[in-house]
Amino acid sequence: MAQITISCSIPVDDEVVTEFLHKYVLCSRVGAARKLRMGEKGCFYTCSLYQEDHAKVSRLIRRMLAFFESKDILLTILKIGAQDSWDEVDPEQRDPWKFSPQALLALLDAAPNGNA
């Protein structure tokens, strides 16, 4: 199934955002702050979609998208296919893998075989 990764599009230094990641993504405050300050290269969430935990993952992703939108923080979302590897993604040229938040929401609503 599809795999995604999420990071902030620009470096972020915000205690509220750091606390959000600590609480919902379950990373340390120091680790969350470090990843946020890295901007696009500081991936703070990676997952595969349509696994047995899809409902839980979908709720978390929706919560993240809403939170970052409420803070006016743009996200960089990358998507690769199930057979692809993150090693194939050029860190300097991410555009072919970028995915919009709206497209991610549509993907979360879709069934794994492509049917809604």
Side-chain angles (χ1 to χ4, degrees), residues 65-86:
L65 295 177
F67 174 80
F68 282 95
E69 182 178 352
S70 75
K71 293 289 197 181
D72 291 324
I73 298 172
L74 296 177
L75 296 174
T76 296
I77 302 166
L78 304 179
K79 177 182 139 320
I80 62 172
Q83 304 306 316
D84 298 324
S85 165
W86 288 112

Side-chain angles (χ1 to χ4, degrees), residues 27-40:
C27 59
S28 71
R29 287 177 181 87
V30 171
R34 183 177 63 247
K35 289 177 182 182
L36 289 168
R37 285 191 303 269
M38 292 174 67
E40 219 173 52

Side-chain angles (χ1 to χ4, degrees), residues 51-112:
Q51 303 295 320
E52 61 279 349
D53 62 347
H54 180 70
K56 180 181 174 183
V57 166
S58 179
R59 283 190 304 273
L60 175 59
I61 292 171
R62 291 171 193 280
R63 180 175 278 153
M64 278 192 280
L65 295 177
F67 174 80
F68 282 95
E69 182 178 352
S70 75
K71 293 289 197 181
D72 291 324
I73 298 172
L74 296 177
L75 296 174
T76 296
I77 302 166
L78 304 179
K79 177 182 139 320
I80 62 172
Q83 304 306 316
D84 298 324
S85 165
W86 288 112
D87 294 333
E88 298 171 22
V89 178
D90 181 351
E92 302 304 320
Q93 186 59 279
R94 297 170 177 226
D95 288 344
W97 294 276
K98 284 189 178 177
F99 212 62
S100 73
Q102 297 79 13
L104 178 54
L105 289 172
L107 188 64
L108 293 174
D109 290 338

Side-chain angles (χ1 to χ4, degrees), residues 37-52:
R37 285 191 303 269
M38 292 174 67
E40 219 173 52
K41 294 182 181 178
C43 167
F44 56 77
Y45 187 73
T46 301
C47 73
S48 295
L49 301 179
Y50 307 120
Q51 303 295 320
E52 61 279 349

